[in-house]
Amino acid sequence: MAAKRTARGAPKEPKAAPAPRARRKKAAAAPGARGLPAAELDAGTPPPEITALAEAILGDGGSVLAMYREPVGGAWAILAGLPLDRVEPTPFQRDLSEAHVARLSDVIDKLDCFLDPIIAVRTPSPSGLGRGAERAAPGGGRYWTPNGNHRRAALLRLGAKSAVALVLPDERIAYRILALNTEKAHNVREKALEVTRMARSLSELDPRPEQEFRLEFEEPSLLTLGLCYEQRPRFSGGAYQSVLRHVDRFLDEPLPEALETRKARAALLLALDDAVAQAVDGLKARGFESPYLKAFVVARINPLRFQRSPDAPFEATLNKMLASAQRFDPASVRPDQVARAAGPPEEHAG
């Protein structure tokens, strides 16, 4: 292309492409600048709630191995031995992976030792977390583990009697599964289902606005996707993540009302998925067999794909995509366009 000329006739230099923005990295803290030194982790007198929790653990048939302050924030915790039959997953947690349980039990069996304590919070009954004196009452406690269900199941498979746990007095930790998880990476489906179950539980216990649970829920789109997965277990949620991350935001509504809004959003997303599936079927009828067909169709109907910093409302964007999917013409697609398509293949597990 010829260079443009100015009014005086001199060629005008084309503008250089803007340099990509460098991502800011969080500066590392100076060594030794935060938290407690090792010699002070057991210093001081435990607060009353820790003493009461220790008594409750003993009353539940467990043992208190140590009371200490964790090294970063200085909060008190208890290293305890818990009867395994009193430990259970949080009720909103993802389903167990039997393959992962089998691998863990095999490793523990070969090592003949259990070296990775679970995290637990005490609840007085299987129905939910307690409050105050009720939570501390000994004898009838159960222990929810937000981070350790696969290890718990592996120990049960091996016939173990007990597990070592870090027992925390703050029941809110039970709702921070995604931030705590270290034992098995979540896929989109597992994350979305856990977040949706947490939202339902919290809507009864602590119905604050949805946006105040950013840490617990991690991404707003997971709340919408979870409701989709509940209705359609083989839903391909990952195909829509590139759109949802720009249009789905945490809501200002209290959780009960926010869940109703999420149901409407999930219904719209499922309707879009139906239209996309029809477009994919049309492409397959023309002989296309690429595993990227769904991602290809979603990319073609995505109205935000050419915007650098898209910021659009959820309902308007998805309605526009739905209309585009319903008008999608498989006959207009060339083989080289599908071959160049980028993105994740269709996913059935999330």
Side-chain angles (χ1 to χ4, degrees):
M1 180 182 292
K4 293 182 180 179
R5 294 182 173 272
T6 63
R8 295 183 178 180
K12 184 178 179 181
E13 292 295 329
K15 290 184 178 180
R21 292 182 179 179
R23 296 183 64 181
R24 288 186 178 181
K25 292 185 177 180
K26 189 174 181 179
R34 183 175 178 181
L36 302 174
E40 295 181 13
L41 298 185
D42 62 349
T45 302
E49 62 268 23
I50 287 291
T51 303
L53 179 57
E55 292 175 355
I57 290 171
L58 294 174
D60 293 334
S63 61
V64 175
L65 307 177
M67 291 187 284
Y68 71 101
R69 299 168 70 188
E70 58 82 20
V72 176
W76 283 87
I78 297 177
L79 180 65
L82 300 178
L84 197 55
D85 60 4
R86 288 185 179 270
V87 180
E88 57 196 38
T90 53
F92 34 80
Q93 198 164 149
R94 63 176 168 179
D95 298 330
L96 280 172
S97 164
E98 290 299 330
H100 190 60
V101 171
R103 286 193 296 270
L104 280 175
S105 59
D106 185 55
V107 170
I108 296 170
D109 189 34
K110 288 179 179 178
L111 292 174
D112 197 27
C113 57
F114 178 70
L115 299 174
D116 192 5
I118 63 174
I119 295 173
V121 293
R122 186 177 184 274
T123 173
S125 69
S127 61
L129 294 169
R131 296 278 191 249
E134 180 194 32
R135 188 171 68 239
R142 310 291 295 179
Y143 294 84
W144 281 1
T145 174
N147 176 258
N149 191 29
H150 286 87
R151 281 165 281 167
R152 179 198 66 87
L155 290 174
L156 283 174
R157 179 175 292 197
L158 293 171
K161 301 175 182 177
S162 63
V164 177
L166 299 177
V167 185
L168 306 174
D170 186 358
E171 64 188 41
R172 293 173 298 177
I173 208 73
Y175 293 90
R176 295 179 180 175
I177 299 172
L178 299 181
L180 285 170
N181 186 73
T182 58
E183 65 177 21
K184 182 179 180 291
H186 291 63
N187 58 33
V188 174
R189 180 179 182 274
E190 289 173 334
K191 279 188 175 184
L193 287 172
E194 277 194 5
V195 164
T196 301
R197 294 166 186 169
M198 277 195 285
R200 284 203 187 94
S201 178
L202 283 166
S203 69
E204 299 176 2
L205 291 173
D206 188 8
R208 285 179 287 152
E210 182 188 275
Q211 64 175 349
E212 295 187 22
F213 295 95
R214 291 173 179 269
L215 176 60
E216 288 82 355
F217 298 156
E218 194 169 286
E219 296 177 33
S221 62
L222 294 174
L223 290 155
T224 304
L225 290 172
L227 292 166
C228 292
Y229 280 115
E230 287 183 339
Q231 297 180 61
R232 193 173 296 173
R234 294 174 69 82
F235 176 69
S236 300
Y240 301 98
Q241 282 285 69
S242 60
V243 178
L244 294 180
R245 70 168 55 100
H246 295 300
V247 301
D248 210 353
R249 297 170 185 82
F250 287 116
L251 304 174
D252 295 330
E253 303 168 347
L255 273 179
E257 288 84 350
L259 281 170
E260 294 302 315
T261 301
R262 293 285 170 192
K263 288 179 184 177
R265 291 188 172 189
L268 180 56
L269 185 55
L270 289 173
L272 171 60
D273 189 56
D274 289 336
V276 168
Q278 288 186 358
V280 170
D281 289 342
L283 290 172
K284 288 180 177 179
R286 291 195 59 220
F288 292 102
E289 295 296 336
S290 168
Y292 301 101
L293 290 180
K294 176 165 279 190
F296 171 78
V297 172
V298 173
R300 289 275 291 231
I301 64 174
N302 179 7
L304 309 178
R305 67 188 184 278
F306 297 125
Q307 299 181 27
R308 282 193 174 183
S309 301
D311 185 10
F314 185 97
E315 288 77 8
T317 302
L318 264 69
N319 277 316
K320 185 180 294 185
M321 293 180 69
L322 176 59
S324 297
Q326 292 169 339
R327 295 193 305 267
F328 188 86
D329 180 13
S332 67
V333 177
R334 302 190 310 271
D336 62 298
Q337 293 174 319
V338 175
R340 293 196 304 268
E346 293 183 43
E347 51 177 341
H348 296 303

